[in-house]
Each structure stands twice: as C-alpha cells, then as structure tokens.
Amino acid sequence: MLNNRKSYPVLNHCIYANTAAYGLLGEELLEWRQNHDLDYLIGGSSMKIESLGLISEARDMVGTFFKCKSDLVALVPNFSLGLNMLLEGLDSREHILLLENDYPSVNWPLESRGFQISYAKIDEKLEQNILEKVRTNSITVLALSLVQWINGIRVDLDFLKSLKEEFPQLMIIADGTQFCGAFEIDFENSGIDVLGASGYKWLLAGTGNGFMLFKDLAKVRFTIKTTGFNSANAVLTAKNTIPFNKQFEPGHLDSLNFGSLKCALGVLNDIGMKEITAHNENLSKKACKGFSELGLLNKDIIHRNLHSTIFNIKGNNALFNHLMEENIVCSRRGEGIRLSFHHYNTVEDIDSILEILRKMK
C-alpha cells in the first residue's frame, strides 16, 4: 500500500486518521475532475449532452464493483436522500428494528414517519441483541449501519446472511457509508436487501455522489412515489414504464460528481479490494491491540472478534488538541476522540500515535 500514499499529498505533513469524516482527494481523481471541467469550459452544452453516457457508465461501475445488477442500482447525491425517498414507499404498518444511537441519518428518517419501532443495543453482543429482537418482536424491517460512526463497531455480514436465511421476509436496509471502500462486499450474495452509501468517505469519491443497491424483494415491498423527467430518460411516452431504480433519479445527475465516483471506484479496483480489506483488517488489529493495552478502549470493542478501522479512544479536549498539535488529524465524537484509518495509512502511523499517547499517560 506504500506506493499509493504518493497520490495523497496531505500525508506529507500529517498522519491522516479522519477518513470517517472525509476521505482524501487523490491526484488521479483531481486530474480527472480538472479535465472534465476543462472540457465543459470549452465544449459547453455539447460536452454535457455527450457526458450523459458517463452516468450510465458510473451506474454500471457501481453494479460491477459491489456485484449488483445495474438495473437495480440507483445513483443518488447521498445516502440520506436515497433513504428518505425509499421510506416514502414503505407501508406504515411495518415494525422497524433500529440500533440505539445509530447514525442519525439512519434512525431519524424512520423515527419521523410514525412506524412502530424497537431498538437493539450496540455492545459486544450486537448480533445476539439483534437476533433476540427479531425472534421475539415480530420485526419486519431491520435498518442499521454496517459500521457504527462513533465507535467503529462493525456488524458481522455472515450474521446478516444467516438472519436473512432464518427470516427470509425480513427486509434488511443497510447504510454502508462507513463500510464501502474500506472492506469488500458482495451485495448479491449478502443478506442485505437495500444497501446505500455516500461516496465521500471510504470510497474517496468526493461529495455529491452516492448510490442505492436493491434486491428484487425491495421492488415488492416499496411503492416509490418519486418521479421526474430524468426517471423516464427524458422520454415523454415513458411516464408509466419507469424502472424501479430510476424512480430515485427524478432530476439531472451531475456528470462531475458521478464521473468522480466512477473514477474513484476505478482507483480502488486497481489497488484491489481484497488487498485493501486485508490491509485495513491488519491496521484494525494493530490499533485495537495498542489502544487496548493503553486502556483507551471501551470493553464493547475489546470483547468483539470483528472490528472496523474506526476507534473511539478515551480522551478529553486537552488530548484532542495535543494530537492535532502533533499533526494527527482526527475528530471529537461522543465522549472520546475518533481515529480512523484507510489503505493510505500504515502500521507506522499507528505506532506514532501510540507513542504520543504513551507520553501523555
């Protein structure tokens, strides 16, 4: 992974441990964006009309990357908008299971629509907590983040698959914004029915782009009301034959933003998601061991076999400010300090952070 670091100049003057907030802009994507806008500057509307094909290419790339049929891929500006459009088509009688203190853009849209809602606790027994609620509460929809934004707890995808096998009519909606790009996922063979994500974090695609992936069950369970001229590909006679995925694309999509997503996925493909997954899991184990030895992790993290590369360590504003002064870019989240690592980070980055923390003990 060391060869990839040179594409991210930010790393020349800091240890970037903040991908959970914003992923870095790489030189390859910067060059593509500059060329795109130069073509627009010179070509005007002709360039934009020609670039409509780029949107389809981006959709195909998303489908290939995550192993989802392209006609079940919707391109959306971000996950939050995609989820809200989706929920407008969900029957109000559904019984929803959420996770306590999950990301607000997962929980709030469901809580605001008057569904019957139950909650599972996020701790070291997360999967068991979910299973018990589904078995005893007549749950029809499970909505959750694959990785928790504050503490980095990562749900076991094998568990979701087995849960789906036990309860085939359970609709599983997942936010992959803190997962996709950091770890490999095969959507078609997962237990997830709807997977959405924004592209500006681990996918390193910048803001203004995201996607929603669907299984066939979603087309049965959701009656989507969103529509617009772009949904029909600007064909007046196609109003009544709009495909399910295109109902999430009522207006024009920006070729810069979704071309950026296509370019970013190409970069990750070139590195290889198997390699990125292995690298990030190694970083996760290294960080978990080091932070645990310093007594900086909650027991909910220490006692789990699976974790992401997001860690919330115990620390106050004084420690946070000290880390920033040492050029460690991180975030205050909850009651601690959130550090997050991606493929452009190294074990040496983690060693450096651990050394600073030891000196502060």
Side-chain angles (χ1 to χ4, degrees):
M1 294 295 163
L2 290 175
N3 292 334
N4 303 312
R5 286 173 61 85
K6 62 185 179 181
S7 297
Y8 304 95
V10 171
L11 303 178
N12 293 328
H13 57 79
C14 72
I15 293 177
Y16 193 78
N18 208 28
T19 301
Y22 280 94
L24 293 179
L25 174 63
E27 290 181 342
E28 188 169 340
L29 178 55
L30 174 64
E31 182 179 1
W32 183 89
R33 290 166 70 99
Q34 288 175 328
N35 288 336
H36 172 280
D37 278 356
L38 180 60
D39 290 342
Y40 185 24
L41 179 70
I42 297 172
S45 61
S46 297
M47 177 271 179
K48 278 296 186 180
I49 293 171
E50 290 175 2
S51 71
L52 293 176
L54 184 59
I55 303 298
S56 295
E57 293 172 11
R59 184 181 295 104
D60 291 342
M61 174 67 93
V62 170
T64 300
F65 190 89
F66 293 104
K67 298 179 177 61
C68 176
K69 300 172 185 176
S70 60
D71 62 352
L72 290 174
V73 175
L75 300 178
V76 293
N78 52 62
F79 168 79
S80 300
L81 282 173
L83 180 62
N84 275 276
M85 285 189 281
L86 180 73
L87 295 181
E88 284 299 295
L90 185 61
D91 193 299
S92 61
R93 294 168 293 182
E94 301 274 4
H95 186 174
I96 315 297
L97 178 62
L98 302 175
L99 305 186
E100 294 178 359
N101 303 312
D102 202 341
Y103 191 59
S105 288
V106 175
N107 284 7
W108 289 0
L110 284 146
E111 292 168 339
S112 69
R113 284 175 166 82
F115 294 109
Q116 180 184 358
I117 294 178
S118 297
Y119 294 90
K121 187 176 182 180
I122 300 172
D123 60 19
E124 71 270 22
K125 298 179 180 178
L126 172 61
E127 289 80 7
Q128 186 62 35
N129 298 339
I130 293 172
L131 182 59
E132 289 176 359
K133 290 288 184 178
V134 173
R135 282 178 172 172
T136 60
N137 287 268
S138 301
I139 301 297
T140 60
V141 177
L142 167 64
L144 78 171
S145 298
L146 296 182
V147 171
Q148 289 302 307
W149 67 299
I150 290 182
N151 60 17
I153 283 182
R154 172 182 165 192
V155 70
D156 187 345
L157 292 183
D158 288 338
F159 161 75
L160 292 182
K161 188 169 184 177
S162 66
L163 182 68
K164 185 68 176 180
E165 290 170 353
E166 184 175 349
F167 300 94
Q169 291 307 306
L170 175 69
M171 174 67 58
I172 301 179
I173 303 172
D175 175 10
T177 301
Q178 296 286 16
F179 181 99
C180 295
F183 303 101
E184 189 175 29
I185 185 170
D186 181 342
F187 175 70
E188 187 63 35
N189 291 314
S190 75
I192 301 167
D193 297 291
V194 180
L195 174 64
S198 297
Y200 70 97
K201 295 182 187 284
W202 305 89
L203 292 170
L204 312 179
T207 54
N209 60 69
F211 58 84
M212 303 289 286
L213 312 179
F214 305 102
K215 296 274 183 66
D216 287 328
L217 180 61
K219 295 194 292 184
V220 177
R221 293 281 287 277
F222 294 94
T223 305
I224 305 304
K225 303 172 184 178
T226 311
T227 190
F229 201 28
N230 187 66
S231 297
N233 294 319
V235 178
L236 283 171
T237 57
K239 177 183 177 182
N240 298 318
T241 59
I242 294 171
F244 182 82
N245 65 321
K246 289 290 289 181
Q247 291 182 282
F248 293 82
E249 303 175 9
H252 285 89
L253 298 175
D254 186 4
S255 59
L256 175 67
N257 288 338
F258 289 99
S260 293
L261 178 59
K262 176 177 180 286
C263 178
L265 292 178
V267 172
L268 295 178
N269 256 338
D270 289 343
I271 301 170
M273 279 308 302
K274 289 190 186 312
E275 289 74 15
I276 290 173
T277 298
H279 178 78
N280 285 345
E281 288 180 344
N282 184 51
L283 292 180
S284 177
K285 292 175 183 176
K286 170 77 174 179
C288 192
K289 182 176 185 294
F291 295 145
S292 177
E293 289 174 348
L294 291 174
L296 296 174
L297 293 180
N298 186 288
K299 65 179 180 65
D300 294 340
I301 308 302
I302 297 171
H303 294 160
R304 285 182 62 79
N305 295 324
L306 186 72
H307 195 70
S308 69
T309 55
I310 300 173
F311 294 88
N312 196 310
I313 64 171
K314 299 172 184 177
N316 55 20
N317 282 330
L319 179 57
F320 173 71
N321 291 333
H322 181 69
L323 289 171
M324 294 295 284
E325 289 168 1
E326 293 285 343
N327 294 319
I328 310 297
V329 182
C330 52
S331 295
R332 285 285 271 150
R333 289 292 185 273
E335 298 179 356
I337 299 166
R338 188 180 69 184
L339 298 151
S340 50
F341 308 100
H342 202 4
H343 71 76
Y344 38 61
N345 291 111
T346 64
V347 292
E348 289 77 17
D349 288 342
I350 296 173
D351 283 333
S352 296
I353 293 171
L354 291 172
E355 182 60 27
I356 292 169
L357 293 171
R358 289 189 191 99
K359 291 179 180 178
M360 290 290 290
K361 292 286 284 183

